Amino acid sequence: MRYRRLTPPPPLAAFVDCLWYSEGLQGTHARERLLPNGESGIVFDLRERPRTHFQLDRTVETNNVCEPATYAPAVFCGARTDSFLLDTSEQERVIGIQFRPGGAFPFLGMPASEVAHRTYSLDDIWSTHAALTREELLSSQSVAAMFSVLERALLARLKRAPFLHPAVAFAATRLSKPAANTRVQDVVDRIGISSRHFKELFREQTGLTPKAFQRVRRFQHVLQALRRDSEEPGAALAADCGYYDQAHFIHDFKHFSGLTPGEYLAVATPHLNHIPLL
Protein backbone atom coordinates (compact mmCIF):
# COMPACT_ATOMS: atom_id res chain seq x y z
CA MET A 1 0.00 0.00 0.00
CA ARG A 2 1.24 3.50 -0.84
CA TYR A 3 0.08 6.49 1.19
CA ARG A 4 1.16 10.13 0.94
CA ARG A 5 0.01 13.11 2.97
CA LEU A 6 0.72 16.82 2.58
CA THR A 7 -0.23 19.87 4.63
CA PRO A 8 -0.64 22.69 2.12
CA PRO A 9 1.06 26.06 2.69
CA PRO A 10 -0.83 29.24 3.62
CA PRO A 11 -3.41 30.45 2.91
CA LEU A 12 -4.86 26.95 2.38
CA ALA A 13 -3.38 25.65 5.63
CA ALA A 14 -5.97 27.67 7.54
CA PHE A 15 -8.77 25.65 5.92
CA VAL A 16 -7.25 22.32 4.87
CA ASP A 17 -5.87 19.77 7.33
CA CYS A 18 -4.18 17.77 4.59
CA LEU A 19 -4.14 16.53 1.02
CA TRP A 20 -3.76 12.76 0.83
CA TYR A 21 -3.18 10.00 -1.70
CA SER A 22 -3.74 6.26 -1.26
CA GLU A 23 -2.96 3.41 -3.62
CA GLY A 24 -3.12 -0.36 -3.28
CA LEU A 25 -5.68 -0.72 -0.49
CA GLN A 26 -7.74 -3.27 -2.44
CA GLY A 27 -7.65 -6.78 -1.04
CA THR A 28 -6.84 -6.05 2.61
CA HIS A 29 -10.50 -6.04 3.73
CA ALA A 30 -13.86 -5.81 2.00
CA ARG A 31 -15.39 -2.90 3.89
CA GLU A 32 -14.44 -0.42 6.55
CA ARG A 33 -16.32 1.81 8.94
CA LEU A 34 -15.40 5.49 8.67
CA LEU A 35 -15.82 7.20 12.03
CA PRO A 36 -17.10 10.79 12.30
CA ASN A 37 -14.76 13.68 13.03
CA GLY A 38 -16.94 16.73 12.36
CA GLU A 39 -14.87 17.61 9.30
CA SER A 40 -15.73 17.64 5.60
CA GLY A 41 -13.72 16.07 2.82
CA ILE A 42 -13.45 15.57 -0.92
CA VAL A 43 -12.39 12.30 -2.55
CA PHE A 44 -11.47 11.69 -6.18
CA ASP A 45 -11.50 8.07 -7.32
CA LEU A 46 -8.88 7.79 -10.05
CA ARG A 47 -10.70 4.94 -11.78
CA GLU A 48 -13.83 5.11 -13.89
CA ARG A 49 -16.26 3.17 -11.71
CA PRO A 50 -18.54 5.04 -9.29
CA ARG A 51 -17.92 4.94 -5.55
CA THR A 52 -20.26 3.11 -3.16
CA HIS A 53 -21.12 4.21 0.39
CA PHE A 54 -23.36 2.32 2.80
CA GLN A 55 -25.36 4.38 5.27
CA LEU A 56 -25.52 2.75 8.69
CA ASP A 57 -29.01 2.31 10.10
CA ARG A 58 -29.08 3.52 13.71
CA THR A 59 -32.47 1.92 14.36
CA VAL A 60 -30.93 -1.56 14.28
CA GLU A 61 -27.62 -3.15 15.21
CA THR A 62 -24.80 -1.01 13.85
CA ASN A 63 -23.44 -3.76 11.58
CA ASN A 64 -26.63 -3.60 9.53
CA VAL A 65 -26.80 -1.15 6.66
CA CYS A 66 -29.35 0.51 4.46
CA GLU A 67 -29.30 0.25 0.69
CA PRO A 68 -25.95 1.28 -0.80
CA ALA A 69 -25.69 4.63 -2.55
CA THR A 70 -23.43 5.13 -5.56
CA TYR A 71 -21.80 8.38 -6.56
CA ALA A 72 -19.72 9.83 -9.35
CA PRO A 73 -15.95 9.22 -9.11
CA ALA A 74 -15.59 12.50 -7.18
CA VAL A 75 -17.52 12.99 -3.94
CA PHE A 76 -17.98 15.60 -1.23
CA CYS A 77 -18.49 14.22 2.28
CA GLY A 78 -20.21 16.72 4.55
CA ALA A 79 -19.42 17.18 8.23
CA ARG A 80 -21.21 14.49 10.18
CA THR A 81 -21.60 12.92 13.60
CA ASP A 82 -22.41 9.38 12.46
CA SER A 83 -20.24 6.71 10.87
CA PHE A 84 -20.81 5.05 7.50
CA LEU A 85 -19.36 2.13 5.57
CA LEU A 86 -17.06 2.20 2.56
CA ASP A 87 -16.56 -0.57 0.04
CA THR A 88 -12.76 -0.73 0.13
CA SER A 89 -12.61 -2.88 -2.99
CA GLU A 90 -13.31 0.38 -4.81
CA GLN A 91 -10.35 2.27 -3.38
CA GLU A 92 -7.48 1.03 -5.52
CA ARG A 93 -6.24 4.56 -6.22
CA VAL A 94 -7.80 7.64 -4.60
CA ILE A 95 -6.78 11.17 -3.71
CA GLY A 96 -8.54 13.62 -1.44
CA ILE A 97 -8.80 16.79 0.59
CA GLN A 98 -9.43 16.73 4.34
CA PHE A 99 -10.74 20.08 5.58
CA ARG A 100 -10.28 21.46 9.06
CA PRO A 101 -13.46 21.90 11.14
CA GLY A 102 -15.45 24.59 9.33
CA GLY A 103 -12.74 24.79 6.68
CA ALA A 104 -14.92 23.60 3.80
CA PHE A 105 -17.34 26.52 4.05
CA PRO A 106 -15.36 28.99 1.88
CA PHE A 107 -15.18 26.44 -0.95
CA LEU A 108 -18.84 25.42 -1.05
CA GLY A 109 -20.82 28.38 -2.35
CA MET A 110 -23.66 27.40 -0.01
CA PRO A 111 -24.23 26.94 3.73
CA ALA A 112 -22.34 23.94 5.11
CA SER A 113 -25.54 22.92 6.89
CA GLU A 114 -27.11 22.11 3.50
CA VAL A 115 -24.53 19.39 2.81
CA ALA A 116 -23.91 18.06 6.33
CA HIS A 117 -24.40 14.44 7.39
CA ARG A 118 -24.44 13.13 3.81
CA THR A 119 -22.23 12.34 0.83
CA TYR A 120 -22.78 14.02 -2.53
CA SER A 121 -21.34 13.80 -6.00
CA LEU A 122 -18.86 16.66 -6.24
CA ASP A 123 -20.53 17.69 -9.51
CA ASP A 124 -23.47 18.86 -7.37
CA ILE A 125 -21.16 21.10 -5.32
CA TRP A 126 -18.51 22.28 -7.81
CA SER A 127 -20.46 21.86 -11.06
CA THR A 128 -18.14 21.46 -14.08
CA HIS A 129 -15.05 22.29 -12.00
CA ALA A 130 -15.21 18.82 -10.44
CA ALA A 131 -14.82 17.02 -13.77
CA LEU A 132 -12.12 19.43 -14.95
CA THR A 133 -10.13 18.94 -11.75
CA ARG A 134 -10.39 15.17 -12.05
CA GLU A 135 -9.18 15.29 -15.65
CA GLU A 136 -6.13 17.25 -14.52
CA LEU A 137 -5.49 14.70 -11.78
CA LEU A 138 -5.65 11.81 -14.25
CA SER A 139 -3.19 13.49 -16.59
CA SER A 140 -0.67 14.26 -13.81
CA GLN A 141 2.58 12.30 -13.84
CA SER A 142 3.25 12.16 -10.09
CA VAL A 143 1.57 12.43 -6.70
CA ALA A 144 3.28 15.79 -6.16
CA ALA A 145 1.79 17.05 -9.41
CA MET A 146 -1.67 15.87 -8.32
CA PHE A 147 -1.32 17.69 -5.01
CA SER A 148 -0.49 20.84 -7.00
CA VAL A 149 -3.68 20.35 -9.04
CA LEU A 150 -5.75 20.22 -5.86
CA GLU A 151 -4.03 23.30 -4.44
CA ARG A 152 -4.73 25.30 -7.60
CA ALA A 153 -8.39 24.19 -7.62
CA LEU A 154 -8.83 25.28 -4.00
CA LEU A 155 -7.02 28.59 -4.44
CA ALA A 156 -9.17 29.44 -7.46
CA ARG A 157 -12.33 29.04 -5.36
CA LEU A 158 -10.85 30.76 -2.33
CA LYS A 159 -10.32 34.03 -4.27
CA ARG A 160 -14.05 34.68 -4.41
CA ALA A 161 -15.10 32.89 -1.24
CA PRO A 162 -16.54 34.17 2.05
CA PHE A 163 -14.41 33.49 5.11
CA LEU A 164 -15.43 32.00 8.42
CA HIS A 165 -17.04 34.50 10.74
CA PRO A 166 -14.56 35.34 13.55
CA ALA A 167 -17.10 34.15 16.13
CA VAL A 168 -17.30 30.74 14.43
CA ALA A 169 -13.53 30.44 14.14
CA PHE A 170 -13.12 31.33 17.83
CA ALA A 171 -15.85 28.93 18.93
CA ALA A 172 -14.52 26.04 16.81
CA THR A 173 -11.13 26.41 18.47
CA ARG A 174 -12.56 26.61 21.97
CA LEU A 175 -15.01 23.73 21.52
CA SER A 176 -12.27 21.52 20.06
CA LYS A 177 -10.53 21.51 23.45
CA PRO A 178 -12.78 19.10 25.34
CA ALA A 179 -10.54 18.74 28.39
CA ALA A 180 -11.28 22.38 29.21
CA ASN A 181 -14.98 21.48 29.80
CA THR A 182 -16.05 24.61 27.98
CA ARG A 183 -19.81 25.10 27.84
CA VAL A 184 -21.39 26.42 24.65
CA GLN A 185 -22.98 29.22 26.69
CA ASP A 186 -19.52 30.20 27.99
CA VAL A 187 -18.40 30.68 24.38
CA VAL A 188 -21.53 32.68 23.55
CA ASP A 189 -20.88 34.98 26.51
CA ARG A 190 -17.33 35.62 25.29
CA ILE A 191 -18.44 36.38 21.74
CA GLY A 192 -21.07 38.95 22.62
CA ILE A 193 -23.81 38.01 20.15
CA SER A 194 -27.15 36.39 20.86
CA SER A 195 -27.19 32.67 21.51
CA ARG A 196 -29.70 32.06 18.74
CA HIS A 197 -27.73 34.02 16.14
CA PHE A 198 -24.49 32.30 17.13
CA LYS A 199 -25.96 28.81 16.86
CA GLU A 200 -27.47 29.56 13.44
CA LEU A 201 -24.19 31.04 12.21
CA PHE A 202 -22.13 28.17 13.59
CA ARG A 203 -24.34 25.53 11.96
CA GLU A 204 -24.39 27.42 8.66
CA GLN A 205 -20.60 27.55 8.46
CA THR A 206 -19.55 24.23 10.05
CA GLY A 207 -22.57 22.08 9.20
CA LEU A 208 -23.10 21.08 12.84
CA THR A 209 -24.68 22.61 15.92
CA PRO A 210 -22.16 23.80 18.52
CA LYS A 211 -23.07 21.00 20.93
CA ALA A 212 -22.82 18.26 18.28
CA PHE A 213 -19.53 19.72 17.09
CA GLN A 214 -18.11 19.67 20.61
CA ARG A 215 -19.20 16.07 21.19
CA VAL A 216 -17.64 14.71 18.01
CA ARG A 217 -14.40 16.67 18.51
CA ARG A 218 -14.20 15.29 22.07
CA PHE A 219 -14.59 11.81 20.57
CA GLN A 220 -11.65 12.54 18.24
CA HIS A 221 -9.63 13.65 21.25
CA VAL A 222 -10.40 10.29 22.88
CA LEU A 223 -9.20 8.35 19.82
CA GLN A 224 -5.91 10.23 19.85
CA ALA A 225 -5.51 9.67 23.60
CA LEU A 226 -6.16 5.93 23.21
CA ARG A 227 -3.48 5.72 20.53
CA ARG A 228 -0.95 7.49 22.76
CA ASP A 229 -1.65 5.35 25.83
CA SER A 230 -3.98 2.38 25.42
CA GLU A 231 -3.24 1.26 29.00
CA GLU A 232 -4.57 4.43 30.67
CA PRO A 233 -7.41 3.53 33.09
CA GLY A 234 -10.88 4.25 31.72
CA ALA A 235 -11.91 6.66 34.48
CA ALA A 236 -8.71 8.69 34.13
CA LEU A 237 -9.06 8.85 30.36
CA ALA A 238 -12.69 9.94 30.68
CA ALA A 239 -11.73 12.76 33.04
CA ASP A 240 -8.80 13.87 30.88
CA CYS A 241 -11.11 14.12 27.86
CA GLY A 242 -13.78 16.14 29.61
CA TYR A 243 -16.44 13.50 30.40
CA TYR A 244 -18.49 13.57 33.59
CA ASP A 245 -17.68 9.95 34.38
CA GLN A 246 -16.69 6.66 32.75
CA ALA A 247 -20.31 5.75 31.91
CA HIS A 248 -20.69 9.00 29.96
CA PHE A 249 -17.40 8.27 28.20
CA ILE A 250 -18.39 4.71 27.17
CA HIS A 251 -21.85 5.85 26.03
CA ASP A 252 -20.43 8.54 23.74
CA PHE A 253 -17.72 6.27 22.39
CA LYS A 254 -20.22 3.58 21.41
CA HIS A 255 -22.58 6.20 19.98
CA PHE A 256 -19.97 7.49 17.54
CA SER A 257 -18.12 4.27 16.75
CA GLY A 258 -20.47 1.37 17.46
CA LEU A 259 -17.61 -0.15 19.50
CA THR A 260 -16.21 -0.09 23.01
CA PRO A 261 -12.75 1.44 23.41
CA GLY A 262 -11.28 -2.06 23.79
CA GLU A 263 -12.99 -3.28 20.61
CA TYR A 264 -11.71 -0.24 18.76
CA LEU A 265 -8.11 -0.85 19.84
CA ALA A 266 -8.35 -4.50 18.82
CA VAL A 267 -9.07 -3.59 15.18
CA ALA A 268 -7.43 -0.15 14.93
CA THR A 269 -5.31 0.67 11.89
CA PRO A 270 -2.71 3.43 11.41
CA HIS A 271 -5.58 5.58 10.13
CA LEU A 272 -7.39 6.93 13.17
CA ASN A 273 -10.96 6.86 11.83
CA HIS A 274 -10.87 3.83 9.53
CA ILE A 275 -12.01 0.54 11.10
CA PRO A 276 -11.73 -2.58 8.92
CA LEU A 277 -14.67 -4.99 8.85
CA LEU A 278 -13.07 -8.36 8.22
Side-chain angles (χ1 to χ4, degrees), residues 9-219:
L12 292 179
F15 310 96
V16 177
D17 179 52
C18 72
L19 309 177
W20 58 269
Y21 173 87
S22 179
E23 182 178 351
L25 182 62
Q26 185 183 29
T28 57
H29 49 272
R31 291 182 185 172
E32 64 184 18
R33 186 195 305 265
L34 186 59
L35 305 183
N37 60 9
E39 301 170 356
S40 300
I42 291 174
V43 180
F44 291 89
D45 194 327
L46 301 178
R47 308 167 314 152
E48 290 304 321
R49 286 184 291 175
R51 295 174 59 81
T52 303
H53 291 183
F54 298 83
Q55 184 71 25
L56 286 167
D57 187 347
R58 285 208 174 275
T59 64
V60 294
E61 292 297 323
T62 54
N63 282 338
N64 288 278
V65 297
C66 300
E67 290 296 317
T70 57
Y71 301 90
V75 298
F76 176 84
C77 303
R80 58 196 305 153
T81 57
D82 62 330
S83 56
F84 63 93
L85 302 188
L86 291 174
D87 186 340
T88 53
S89 66
E90 300 185 352
Q91 296 186 65
E92 299 166 357
R93 188 166 175 254
V94 289
I95 190 168
I97 302 162
Q98 186 68 40
F99 293 101
R100 296 187 185 279
F105 173 70
F107 306 94
L108 290 176
M110 66 181 72
S113 55
E114 292 187 11
V115 289
H117 305 292
R118 303 295 299 176
T119 299
Y120 300 85
S121 293
L122 190 59
D123 292 334
D124 297 335
I125 310 296
W126 278 10
S127 187
T128 57
H129 296 288
L132 292 173
T133 301
R134 187 169 180 274
E135 287 177 10
E136 286 192 66
L137 291 170
L138 291 172
S139 63
S140 299
Q141 300 301 308
S142 66
V143 176
M146 287 191 282
F147 283 160
S148 294
V149 168
L150 294 181
E151 288 181 6
R152 289 196 299 272
L154 290 170
L155 286 170
R157 297 186 71 82
L158 189 61
K159 289 179 181 178
R160 55 184 185 276
F163 282 80
L164 277 179
H165 191 284
V168 175
F170 172 78
T173 299
R174 292 287 297 170
L175 297 176
S176 291
K177 298 177 179 178
N181 287 320
T182 302
R183 297 184 309 145
V184 172
Q185 189 58 49
D186 294 335
V187 175
V188 173
D189 293 341
R190 289 283 302 276
I191 291 171
I193 62 177
S194 73
S195 178
R196 178 177 179 180
H197 178 53
F198 164 71
K199 291 176 182 178
E200 290 175 351
L201 187 63
F202 192 91
R203 182 171 176 270
E204 176 184 300
Q205 297 198 350
T206 70
L208 304 176
T209 66
K211 185 170 291 187
F213 176 87
Q214 184 179 41
R215 283 187 68 199
V216 75
R217 296 307 296 170
R218 181 188 287 129
F219 169 68

